[in-house]
Amino acid sequence: MENKIPWYHKTSIYHIYPRSFKDSNGDGIGDLQGIIQKLDYIHDLGFESIWSSPFFASPQVDFGYDISDYKNTSPEFGTLDDALQLIEEVHQRGMRIIFDLVLNHTSDEHPWFKESRSSRDNSKADWYLWRDKPNNWNSMTGGNGWHYAKERRQYYWCSFLPFQPDLNWRDPEVKQTMFDIARFWLGKGVDGFRLDIFNTIYKDAEFRDNPFTFKLAPTPDDPSGYFQKMQYSQDQPESFELAKEFRQVCEEFGDKLTVGEITAKRNIVRRFAGDEKNDGLALAFDFEMLEFKFTAEFFRRLIGDIETHFHPPFMPVYVFSNLDKRRSIHRLGNDVRKAKLLHMLQLTMRGVPCMYYGEEIGMTNLKLPFNTALDPIPHKYKHLPRFIFDLLDVTVNRDEVRTPMQWDGTKNAGFSSAEKAWLPVHPNYMHVNVESESKDGKSLLNTIKTLMKFRSENPAILEGSFEFLEGLPTGVLGYARETDGQKLLALLNFAEKAQDVKLNFSEAVYRLTVRDEAQDGSAHLNGFGGLILSA
Ligand code: NOJ
């Protein structure tokens, strides 16, 4: 049978926050040459695709998610030539790279916005969303998202923070310009894009007020909160259409990976990937899993629901950490055994795994105060007592999950030769680092490496079907992955106690822990252990 699964549905994604990955020139800030220096590491880890957060020209108030020139780089990250070299070096290693495209908004320092705000009748007057009177819409970060510009005596709309004005995609010139920016980078060879807050790009044409809801705080799978349902400020019909149009723009350059950041319920996330066919975005993040609970029941429900929505030809993405939310191992009480099992699931599931830099070595949150945060968001909340956010278990200060990559046990964890890195290094770097974990056969890093290798060598995992195994003991999650000629069974024990499972299988082909074992007709799983059996 001809294999019809496109590369971007079989790939694996390693997410780099460039500011924190590797500093090549000693200024305390990670950069593009730093990424290039570490490409062999990522290749060796087994990831095919790299997603880098933005490094385009920007005043860096939201560290690159506020762009002032989409076709150039910010000097602290390097030059345009460095970006081109990065693409080339990635390709030389048989890997792929996707850039992070912020289509929804620009920086308020972007020349387009400067012109737009200067008067009501300049050539860019309609490039942003201007209103004489604000409506009731809240921004995604809380509080009214309309901001006054005295030059026009009008308000402009910001879905995120006040220095990130939203573009007006109903203006055909804006749309063409943004499509051409995508074409510019595709022409330079990038393999696709991660698309920032894609579902907020279109807003209601009539700017109707958003309705009331009792929901207090936004959640990763639903931005409604602060007593407001985001009915008219996101997920508009035109945005679903845009997913298809944008896909076509990308396909002018061949098979490209597009992955949307969509903060919405699963049925909506799915619609961004297409209706019947996967002709919208190639992939879309599903953020309920960022708030995973470490139980077999949670994952059984989650995966079951994901399989219902993202059945073939759609492909889900499995992501447990990112630049905005708590790191996965932090959620697991920093228990490495649990992290290994979580990633065993991530790397054997039907879906594209997306790993945030440092997740592979178990980098965890670094608790940092709000009032000295470099991230602008906590400054909105610093008057409130910190324990409220800790109780709600939300990351407000995103610096906490963006600390420098821990390469070794030397100064600044080998991230930078500067006196001081842009953010503090987590003090656990003396033992949580790439160098020491590489030497330890049982480390999280080596477990992930082995799993990545296993994944790449087994078609049942890369392109096989998925089915739950039934009748397992409480706390054990089991599933079969099958393709023509290969059937694998995965057993994952989310309980701390060892458990025995009766099953028909022929041999154990992967053991998560040293003692997990299989004998004819029964499998023994250690606490938090996992096995893959060949059926
Ligand atoms: C989502 C990104 O993940 C986040 O880091 C950024 O601040 C906002 N979009 C605004 O662009």
Side-chain angles (χ1 to χ4, degrees):
M1 199 180 81
E2 198 201 336
N3 174 16
K4 293 223 180 66
I5 301 188
W7 74 266
Y8 48 76
H9 279 181
K10 291 190 284 195
T11 196
S12 48
I13 306 174
Y14 187 83
H15 173 195
I16 292 177
Y17 194 66
R19 226 180 158 77
S20 297
F21 196 57
K22 175 69 189 167
D23 170 18
S24 73
N25 62 357
D27 64 358
I29 298 172
D31 46 46
L32 296 171
Q33 284 300 332
I35 300 178
I36 293 170
Q37 285 174 13
K38 294 296 182 184
L39 288 179
D40 288 333
Y41 165 76
I42 304 169
H43 185 249
D44 194 41
L45 204 53
F47 282 86
E48 181 190 34
S49 298
I50 294 174
W51 149 33
S52 174
S53 279
F55 44 75
F56 308 109
S58 154
Q60 302 290 328
V61 189
D62 190 17
F63 297 112
Y65 284 94
D66 48 333
I67 296 171
S68 54
D69 180 357
Y70 287 81
K71 294 185 182 172
N72 223 325
T73 53
S74 225
E76 58 267 69
F77 293 123
T79 61
L80 189 57
D81 279 345
D82 293 327
L84 302 183
Q85 187 191 341
L86 174 63
I87 300 173
E88 198 183 308
E89 297 241 9
V90 164
H91 289 164
Q92 274 168 13
R93 288 164 177 82
M95 296 163 72
R96 319 255 190 176
I97 184 154
I98 63 169
F99 285 1
D100 203 323
L101 207 53
V102 185
L103 299 173
N104 179 74
H105 52 266
T106 67
S107 158
D108 60 356
E109 297 284 307
H110 197 298
W112 302 338
F113 185 71
K114 287 188 180 168
E115 184 176 349
S116 189
R117 80 179 292 161
S118 66
S119 68
R120 292 190 189 199
D121 56 7
N122 60 74
S123 72
K124 305 257 177 317
D126 290 330
W127 276 43
Y128 293 82
L129 298 168
W130 293 100
R131 300 259 298 164
D132 292 337
K133 277 205 192 93
N135 62 10
N136 79 340
W137 295 353
N138 278 335
S139 77
M140 295 169 79
T141 56
N144 193 289
W146 291 98
H147 305 279
Y148 189 68
K150 56 179 184 322
E151 301 88 333
R152 285 177 66 138
R153 280 177 284 115
Q154 276 185 314
Y155 294 83
Y156 61 93
W157 168 250
C158 296
S159 289
F160 212 70
L161 289 159
F163 53 86
Q164 291 162 310
D166 281 34
L167 285 159
N168 174 17
W169 274 73
R170 293 180 194 278
D171 182 319
E173 258 181 20
V174 168
K175 191 170 178 174
Q176 276 322 309
T177 305
M178 297 314 277
F179 282 177
D180 286 342
I181 285 166
R183 289 187 181 104
F184 171 81
W185 287 112
L186 290 163
K188 306 259 180 252
V190 294
D191 299 291
F193 302 104
R194 177 266 190 187
L195 299 158
D196 194 65
I197 55 172
F198 191 83
N199 59 323
T200 61
I201 289 178
Y202 279 93
K203 271 61 67 169
D204 179 44
E206 294 164 41
F207 294 96
R208 280 169 282 188
D209 274 354
N210 275 333
F212 176 85
T213 168
F214 283 106
K215 195 157 174 270
L216 175 64
T219 41
D221 66 345
D222 180 8
S224 296
Y226 317 110
F227 304 109
Q228 189 171 108
K229 195 164 180 279
M230 300 265 185
Q231 185 170 327
Y232 295 114
S233 45
Q234 47 199 60
D235 304 329
Q236 299 304 297
E238 295 88 344
S239 291
F240 297 113
E241 274 313 301
L242 178 65
K244 294 184 181 158
E245 284 176 78
F246 191 79
R247 176 80 178 264
Q248 280 163 15
V249 169
C250 291
E251 282 183 356
E252 291 168 18
F253 296 80
D255 268 359
K256 298 289 170 182
L257 192 168
T258 42
V259 54
E261 185 201 23
I262 290 149
T263 304
K265 293 283 179 207
R266 186 156 300 128
N267 59 326
I268 294 177
V269 176
R270 209 332 275 288
R271 284 180 61 197
F272 279 98
D275 305 313
E276 310 286 305
K277 290 193 296 188
N278 177 217
D279 56 357
L281 302 179
L283 296 165
F285 287 119
D286 179 305
F287 289 142
E288 190 205 341
M289 62 181 87
L290 287 176
E291 300 234 307
F292 65 84
K293 292 189 182 56
F294 189 75
T295 64
E297 296 70 40
F298 173 85
F299 282 110
R300 167 100 201 202
R301 188 199 51 73
L302 177 89
I303 295 163
D305 201 46
I306 287 180
E307 281 294 306
T308 307
H309 287 91
F310 286 87
H311 50 74
F314 296 93
M315 189 62 89
V317 183
Y318 280 86
V319 63
F320 298 124
S321 288
N322 70 18
L323 71 167
D324 300 320
K325 298 283 167 355
R326 296 196 163 196
R327 281 187 172 269
S328 59
I329 200 165
H330 173 90
R331 224 169 252 292
L332 297 171
N334 297 316
D335 188 329
V336 175
R337 297 169 305 167
K338 292 183 180 174
K340 288 179 180 171
L341 194 73
L342 180 79
H343 293 299
M344 176 172 169
L345 177 131
Q346 182 185 35
L347 300 175
T348 56
M349 194 41 61
R350 196 186 73 82
V352 170
C354 179
M355 201 169 284
Y356 185 46
Y357 81 97
E359 203 177 357
E360 72 277 19
I361 51 170
M363 274 176 63
T364 193
N365 286 38
L366 175 61
K367 196 166 176 176
L368 294 166
F370 284 12
N371 55 357
T372 53
L374 299 181
D375 178 15
I377 293 186
H379 293 278
K380 285 183 88 160
Y381 296 98
K382 61 187 173 197
H383 55 285
L384 294 172
R386 170 75 189 245
F387 75 89
I388 299 181
F389 302 102
D390 290 343
L391 273 177
L392 289 170
D393 197 25
V394 291
T395 302
V396 178
N397 182 359
R398 298 174 299 171
D399 293 352
E400 298 185 356
V401 299
R402 297 172 177 180
T403 58
M405 175 69 178
Q406 296 165 203
W407 294 106
D408 57 38
T410 64
K411 183 170 128 189
N412 292 325
F415 159 72
S416 168
S417 60
E419 249 340 284
K420 222 171 133 205
W422 80 284
L423 277 179
V425 175
H426 198 295
N428 72 8
Y429 80 96
M430 293 301 284
H431 58 278
V432 177
N433 68 59
V434 172
E435 193 188 26
S436 60
E437 289 192 36
S438 304
K439 293 181 195 142
D440 170 5
K442 291 185 213 150
S443 66
L444 179 58
L445 178 65
N446 276 320
T447 302
I448 285 173
K449 230 177 184 170
T450 310
L451 278 163
M452 285 296 296
K453 187 155 182 285
F454 187 83
R455 183 185 153 80
S456 69
E457 289 168 353
N458 286 282
I461 295 193
L462 285 179
E463 51 202 48
S465 61
F466 173 91
E467 204 182 330
F468 283 119
L469 303 177
E470 303 299 341
L472 301 176
T474 313
V476 177
L477 181 77
Y479 44 88
R481 302 294 322 278
E482 186 170 7
T483 187
D484 294 349
Q486 192 187 35
K487 181 167 183 179
L488 297 174
L489 307 179
L491 294 171
L492 286 77
N493 182 13
F494 285 83
E496 188 151 24
K497 64 171 196 283
Q499 310 218 53
D500 287 309
V501 179
K502 296 251 172 297
L503 273 182
N504 283 329
F505 56 85
S506 57
E507 55 170 334
V509 283
Y510 173 82
R511 291 168 175 76
L512 178 61
T513 61
V514 228
R515 281 193 357 257
D516 281 340
E517 56 203 357
Q519 281 160 3
D520 263 2
S522 107
H524 175 81
L525 297 168
N526 281 337
F528 306 134
L531 266 182
I532 297 175
L533 309 163
S534 158

